[in-house]
Amino acid sequence: MKALFKIKNILLLAVVVQFLSGCTERINLDLDDSTIRLVVEGTLTTDVTEHTVRLTTTTSYYYTQAPPPVSGARVSIFDGEHTIELHETEPGVYKTDADVFGVPNTTYTLNIELAEEIGGFKTYTAQSTLSPAIKVDSVALDYQPKLGSKGLWFIKAKWTSRPGDDFYRFLTYRNGKLLSDSLTKWLTSDDLYEPDTIFTIVDVLSLEEEVNRLNPYDTVTIELDIIDKSFMTFIQDAQSESFGSNPLFSGPPANVKGNISNGAIGYFSAYSYSRCSTLVPEFEEGKKAVRKKK
């Protein structure tokens, strides 16, 4: 009986080992990359400048280079009365003339006509309504040396909200250079306040990241963009996909919904903005910042 019991244990152990070794088997995923779609990234703001629309295509999951640009397209923006033609300045990059600016309370339509079909279509459109700006009245900086390993800068902005629904995006600049230089760093918010003066945190910079370091007398600028609700949702959904699913084994994410027709990916946004700046006070790492009188 003891011999039989030992043989059974050996057989059971062999089955378990075989099962566990099978769990480590390499799985090759056959990803479907046959469907190519147009990708659109475009903005029109109240700034007087060259406004840009970028056209690329989707690529394979394993594609390691920059997305292929789409050249030779006819791109224009219609404001209800006039058509603004964009010119291709480099492959896949289309710009307006430098004297173009958006007008509040105007709905703009982006029209794209491709030289060749992508995803079964040659023409694509998108619409966005430009809302009036809200002025940023002031910006304040608060250094907390005991938070994080090297301290945190809390950036606060003050503005007055208005009746109705507004949707915000906040961007941060240091000495004129954009720190919020990717979609994952954008802070968005809907209007949670009754018409009132608001003074709240709009960004947090960690001294652990060299790119975010502030030095005394640097100029910090906050930009408040008034965007539409669907653009805010697009940003938040894209950030959610970028940061990954939680829990780990949740279902696959759905495609982020933009506002481009015919199944294209991306967004065309028309928005107004306001900016306000302040100087970084003198401080030492690990000590409270002190603004000295000159």
Side-chain angles (χ1 to χ4, degrees):
M1 289 294 292
K2 289 185 178 180
L4 180 60
F5 182 77
K6 185 177 294 186
I7 292 173
K8 287 182 177 180
N9 284 345
I10 292 173
L11 290 175
L12 180 60
L13 180 60
V15 171
V16 172
V17 171
Q18 183 176 2
F19 173 77
L20 292 177
S21 64
C23 291
T24 61
E25 182 179 354
R26 181 183 296 275
I27 299 175
N28 293 318
L29 297 178
D30 184 14
L31 300 178
D32 181 12
D33 56 6
S34 60
T35 302
I36 298 177
R37 300 168 68 180
L38 179 68
V39 180
V40 180
E41 177 190 355
T43 58
L44 178 70
T45 74
T46 47
D47 196 8
V48 181
T49 187
E50 294 179 331
H51 304 273
T52 303
V53 173
R54 289 182 172 85
L55 303 182
T56 57
T57 64
T58 56
T59 62
S60 165
Y61 178 82
Y62 299 106
Y63 194 81
T64 58
Q65 302 178 22
V70 178
S71 293
R74 181 182 178 186
V75 181
S76 63
I77 299 174
F78 182 60
D79 65 3
E81 296 183 3
H82 308 96
T83 298
I84 305 168
E85 298 286 349
L86 283 75
H87 312 284
E88 189 170 13
T89 57
E90 58 183 277
V93 178
Y94 300 81
K95 292 182 178 291
T96 68
D97 292 336
D99 58 353
V100 172
F101 59 93
V103 178
N105 299 315
T106 302
T107 297
Y108 291 93
T109 302
L110 173 68
N111 294 296
I112 300 169
E113 183 178 345
L114 303 179
E116 298 180 359
E117 287 187 359
I118 295 178
F121 298 95
K122 289 186 67 174
T123 60
Y124 295 84
T125 63
Q127 281 192 338
S128 183
T129 300
L130 197 154
S131 298
I134 293 180
K135 181 183 177 182
V136 180
D137 297 316
S138 63
V139 175
L141 303 174
D142 180 18
Y143 175 55
Q144 295 293 333
K146 295 183 180 180
L147 297 181
S149 63
K150 295 185 178 181
L152 299 176
W153 281 102
F154 291 90
I155 304 177
K156 302 177 182 180
K158 181 180 179 181
W159 72 94
T160 301
S161 64
R162 59 193 176 197
D165 295 328
D166 283 308
F167 304 92
Y168 309 137
R169 178 181 67 171
F170 301 95
L171 302 179
T172 303
Y173 297 80
R174 180 191 59 211
N175 298 329
K177 182 178 179 180
L178 182 63
L179 297 181
S180 314
D181 57 357
S182 67
L183 182 146
T184 57
K185 297 180 180 180
W186 296 348
L187 175 63
T188 59
S189 174
D190 53 8
D191 194 347
L192 301 176
Y193 312 92
E194 295 296 327
D196 198 1
T197 299
I198 303 165
F199 185 62
T200 188
I201 296 171
V202 295
D203 203 354
V204 179
L205 301 180
S206 172
L207 292 182
E208 296 177 14
E209 301 179 48
E210 186 66 28
V211 69
N212 288 339
R213 294 182 68 86
L214 299 181
N215 299 306
Y217 304 110
D218 280 351
T219 299
V220 174
T221 302
I222 288 296
E223 176 180 312
L224 170 57
D225 301 329
I226 305 300
I227 60 179
D228 55 36
K229 183 178 180 179
S230 60
F231 188 35
M232 182 188 71
T233 301
F234 172 82
I235 294 170
Q236 293 175 348
D237 288 349
Q239 289 174 338
S240 178
E241 285 205 8
S242 175
F243 296 145
S245 300
N246 187 22
L248 178 61
F249 294 106
S250 59
N255 289 330
V256 178
K257 185 179 180 181
N259 66 343
I260 316 296
S261 68
N262 291 333
I265 298 174
Y267 207 95
F268 167 68
S269 178
Y271 61 87
S272 60
Y273 75 87
S274 171
R275 291 176 182 163
C276 188
S277 301
T278 190
L279 291 179
V280 177
E282 292 186 2
F283 73 100
E284 295 182 24
E285 289 189 9
K287 297 183 180 179
K288 193 71 176 177
V290 177
R291 187 179 296 278
K292 296 182 178 181
K293 295 182 179 180
K294 293 186 176 181

